[in-house]
Amino acid sequence: MAYQSASELTKMMLEYLKDNGNEVWRNNNLAVRGRAFIGRKGVPDIIGYSKKYGYFVCCEIKAIGDRLSSDQMMFLEELSMAGGCAMLCQQVRDETIKITIFKDGDNEDWVFVNGELKK
């Protein structure tokens, strides 16, 4: 698998999450020139909810070279503690796509292989 851009990783995760029973969408949180930021810092790139269970679902996307901010990490951890499902999708140097799932205050690392999550 070749290295992927953040946009490609986002499309991949949107498709995966939708195919697995979630209503999710890309969260546009880019700064607008000339306007003060008025949202909540750290909100992930993908947000939505589980259609089956009703809990909040989110996923932060990080391409190679991108780093998670403390605000982003805090959001993922707080959502996990509140009963939601938070994910961090990042491609690592060996081209592996690692998914960290935060649920109920705990986290597990998975790997994305051929369209499926594997432990």
Side-chain angles (χ1 to χ4, degrees), residues 33-87:
R33 196 161 154 173
R35 266 198 266 170
F37 181 77
I38 58 171
R40 182 172 192 279
K41 290 184 177 184
V43 177
D45 300 303
I46 297 172
I47 59 175
Y49 58 90
S50 164
K51 290 194 264 185
K52 185 173 182 179
Y53 301 107
Y55 55 73
F56 191 88
V57 173
C58 71
C59 184
E60 180 62 42
I61 305 293
K62 294 295 175 193
I64 290 178
D66 292 344
R67 293 179 20 191
L68 198 63
S69 73
S70 58
D71 289 326
Q72 291 168 329
M73 189 66 210
M74 187 182 321
F75 191 99
L76 297 175
E77 289 175 346
E78 287 176 353
L79 177 63
S80 167
M81 296 297 288
C85 180
M87 294 174 231

Side-chain angles (χ1 to χ4, degrees), residues 9 12 47 56 111:
L9 291 170
M12 179 195 74
I47 59 175
F56 191 88
V111 178

Side-chain angles (χ1 to χ4, degrees), residues 5-116:
S5 68
S7 180
E8 291 168 324
L9 291 170
T10 300
K11 287 177 189 173
M12 179 195 74
M13 284 305 293
L14 281 167
E15 184 178 312
Y16 176 79
L17 290 167
K18 286 178 181 180
D19 287 349
N20 285 279
N22 299 286
E23 182 65 34
V24 292
W25 56 92
R26 184 185 299 244
N27 179 42
N28 186 0
N29 53 6
L30 298 174
V32 176
R33 196 161 154 173
R35 266 198 266 170
F37 181 77
I38 58 171
R40 182 172 192 279
K41 290 184 177 184
V43 177
D45 300 303
I46 297 172
I47 59 175
Y49 58 90
S50 164
K51 290 194 264 185
K52 185 173 182 179
Y53 301 107
Y55 55 73
F56 191 88
V57 173
C58 71
C59 184
E60 180 62 42
I61 305 293
K62 294 295 175 193
I64 290 178
D66 292 344
R67 293 179 20 191
L68 198 63
S69 73
S70 58
D71 289 326
Q72 291 168 329
M73 189 66 210
M74 187 182 321
F75 191 99
L76 297 175
E77 289 175 346
E78 287 176 353
L79 177 63
S80 167
M81 296 297 288
C85 180
M87 294 174 231
L88 170 61
C89 171
Q90 60 189 119
Q91 190 166 28
V92 293
R93 297 259 175 237
D94 67 357
E95 300 182 12
T96 301
I97 298 173
K98 183 174 102 173
I99 310 292
T100 303
I101 300 175
F102 301 82
K103 186 84 173 107
D104 299 325
D106 212 2
N107 65 321
E108 291 183 336
D109 287 333
W110 295 68
V111 178
F112 203 83
V113 180
N114 298 325
E116 293 296 321

